[in-house]
Amino acid sequence: KRADLFAKQGELFLNLNRPVAARNAFVRATQINNLPEYHLGMAHSLLFEQLYEPAIQILERIRPQMPPKSEFLGKTVLSLGNAYSVTGKGDMARKLYQEHIGKEPENPAYRYELGETYIRERDWSEAARTFRDLLPLVEADQVALGKSLYGLARALERNGDFDEAVRMFERLLSLHP
């Protein structure tokens, strides 16, 4: 039996909006080869169903097992941070993102999600500062730049910085008319 095939099946089931079937496939994968990335798949199936606490437990357990700077570590951190944020644990999400920004300052995903956490908490000035700091890292990526400009413009508008918000929206529109 090949665990990787069960894991692939689990990914397909997630893409088909079938989280229970996905979780069962990931469980079978872990029974063959108990890799943390298969547990990540189980956590994603739980997040899909908005079962945040069991997903958080899995993500917290596997995070230390992930190799540094691996795609699986990044997915684990982003999933865990989002789960913290959605469940009102913004302080834990911020701490997690800031820890990984310190470890991987070139990875814009952690800064973006940190900005989104500030937006969820309605801390508009910190959100604006975070998105401003993010812009130089994403200038070459049109999609990431667009998302970051939108986050910055939203935070500025909510913070009452209307002139700067208008400039950011105009820049965003010039990139994505």
Side-chain angles (χ1 to χ4, degrees):
K1 295 180 181 178
R2 290 187 45 196
D4 61 322
L5 295 179
F6 284 112
K8 182 51 80 177
Q9 182 184 44
E11 291 173 23
L12 292 171
F13 280 135
L14 278 177
N15 289 331
L16 293 170
N17 300 326
R18 295 178 56 195
V20 174
R23 191 163 43 257
N24 290 335
F26 285 117
V27 166
R28 295 204 52 199
T30 62
Q31 291 169 342
I32 297 166
N33 192 355
N34 195 22
L35 295 176
E37 54 263 34
Y38 301 155
H39 290 271
L40 176 60
M42 285 191 291
H44 283 163
S45 73
L46 292 164
L47 292 171
F48 188 91
E49 293 184 282
Q50 299 178 349
L51 299 170
Y52 296 110
E53 289 307 322
I56 288 171
Q57 290 174 4
I58 291 170
L59 294 165
E60 287 176 338
R61 187 180 73 244
I62 65 172
R63 185 170 69 103
Q65 301 170 23
M66 295 292 183
K69 296 189 179 184
S70 73
E71 74 172 287
F72 295 118
L73 176 60
K75 289 177 181 181
T76 301
V77 168
L78 295 172
S79 298
L80 181 57
N82 276 304
Y84 283 153
S85 186
V86 167
T87 57
K89 300 173 186 168
D91 56 333
M92 294 173 76
R94 288 190 312 278
K95 182 179 176 190
L96 179 67
Y97 292 138
Q98 288 165 342
E99 173 189 338
H100 285 274
I101 289 168
K103 292 178 181 178
E104 290 185 77
E106 72 285 353
N107 185 337
Y110 302 130
R111 289 178 200 271
Y112 178 82
E113 292 301 332
L114 178 61
E116 287 295 314
T117 298
Y118 285 125
I119 284 185
R120 279 187 204 97
E121 296 174 336
R122 301 177 185 270
D123 188 341
W124 311 120
S125 61
E126 281 302 311
R129 183 190 59 75
T130 301
F131 283 114
R132 258 193 215 97
D133 292 348
L134 176 60
L135 289 180
L137 297 175
V138 296
E139 287 290 339
D141 180 339
Q142 292 292 309
V143 173
L145 179 59
K147 288 171 56 176
S148 301
L149 284 169
Y150 182 70
L152 176 56
R154 263 187 322 170
L156 291 167
E157 182 267 331
R158 295 295 174 115
N159 202 42
D161 300 322
F162 299 115
D163 291 339
E164 190 177 357
V166 167
R167 285 194 301 276
M168 291 304 117
F169 276 120
E170 287 172 344
R171 182 169 178 211
L172 178 59
L173 287 169
S174 73
L175 294 172
H176 302 282

